[in-house]
Amino acid sequence: METYHIPVLLHEAVDGLNIRPDGIYVDVTFGGGGHSREILKRLNETGHLYGFDQDEDAEKNTLTGEQFTFVRSNFCYLSNFMDWNGVEKIDGLLADLGVSWRHFDDETRGFSFRFDGDLDMRMNRQAGKTAADVLNTCPEKTLADIFYRYGELKSSRTIAKAIVCARKNRNIRTVRDFLDILKPFFSREKEKKQMAQAFQALRIEVNGELEALKEMLRQAAGLLKPGGRLSVITYHSLEDRLVKNFFKTGDFEGVLKKDFYGNVLTPFRLINNKVIVPDREEIEKNPRSRSAKLRIVEKI
Ligand SMILES: C[S@@+](CC[C@H](N)C(=O)[O-])C[C@H]1O[C@@H](n2cnc3c(N)ncnc32)[C@H](O)[C@@H]1O
C-alpha cells in the first residue's frame, strides 16, 4: 500500500503535549493519523482525542475505538465543534501544518509541479476557489501580492502581468499552463526553488492557510486549561513567524503587553526556548521533514 504520510518529529511533538492519560486532546491536522495514533497510545479509557481534517481522503484513515472522534472540518471551526461535542476545555492540541505527502504525490490534485493535471490545490475539494480560478479571476495587483507575500518572489509583479496577459487568450487550467507562464521568469539554476515558491504561494491563498492558522490558535488559547499544552509543527517561515509571535506574546505581531507595574502579560510559558528541528537521521529517512520546526507552549 502507498504511504499516505510519514509523521514528522513524532515523539518530540507528542512528548511536548505532556499527556495526561485521562485528558482531552485535539489533533487538528489528522492526515494519515500518525501523531493521533501516538497520542491514543498514551490515553486511558477516560481520555479522548478529536482528530480534525478538512480533506475527505484523510477521513478514510480514521481510527476506531471509543476514545477517538474524527471531525471533517477546517480547524478554523475548532471552538464550534468542541462546543457541539460538549467539550468546554482541552488538555492539549497538536498541529502539524500544511499538506500531507498524499497531497503532493496525487497527480489529480495539482499541488506539485512534478505532474501535469488540473490546477486545483484545494485541501477541501467541496468548497472554495481552485488555484486555476484564482489565476483566472483575481486582479493583477492581488496576484502580485500573493506571489510576493506568500512566495517571497521578487518577480511577482511581472509574473502577475504575464498571468493576466495569458488568460486573455484562454483559461489557465492545468499545471502545465501555469508552468509555461512562469518558466521565462526563472533562471535555470533557481528554477525548482522558485517554482516551489510560486506553488506554495498559490496553495496558501487557495486554502486561506494563514487566516485559518490565526483563527485556530486564538480559539485554542481560549480552550486550553491552565497547564494545557500546544505543540505546533510549521514548514515555512510565514506560518512559523505567526506561531513564534503568538507563543511569545499572545499576539501575531509579536508585540509584548505589560501591566501597570511593567509585568509582561502573556498567556503562555515557552517549553522550548530554541525551536526543535528534525535530526540528521530523521532527515535522511524522510527528506521532506527538512524544513519542519516544532514549538511548544503551556497555558499559564
Ligand atoms: C502535514 S499533514 C498532517 C499529517 C499527520 N500529522 C500524520 O501524522 O499523518 C496536514 C494535514 O492537515 C490537513 N489540514 C491542513 N490545514 C487544515 C485546516 N485548516 N483544517 C483542517 N485540516 C487541515 C491537511 O488536509 C493534511 O491532511
Side-chain angles (χ1 to χ4, degrees), residues 2 24 101 118 123 135 142 146 162 200 202-204 219 225 228 232 235 252 256 270 300:
E2 254 181 82
I24 296 184
W101 287 26
D118 285 345
M123 292 188 215
L135 295 181
T142 310
I146 293 170
Q200 173 187 290
L202 201 47
R203 194 198 87 200
I204 292 176
Q219 295 176 21
K225 289 178 188 166
V232 180
Y235 294 87
F252 295 110
L256 271 180
L270 296 181
I300 294 170

Side-chain angles (χ1 to χ4, degrees), residues 85-104:
N85 283 287
V87 177
E88 279 177 24
K89 289 284 171 196
I90 61 173
D91 293 281
L93 178 146
L94 181 139
D96 175 21
L97 298 169
V99 290
S100 63
W101 287 26
R102 172 57 63 86
H103 286 127
F104 280 126

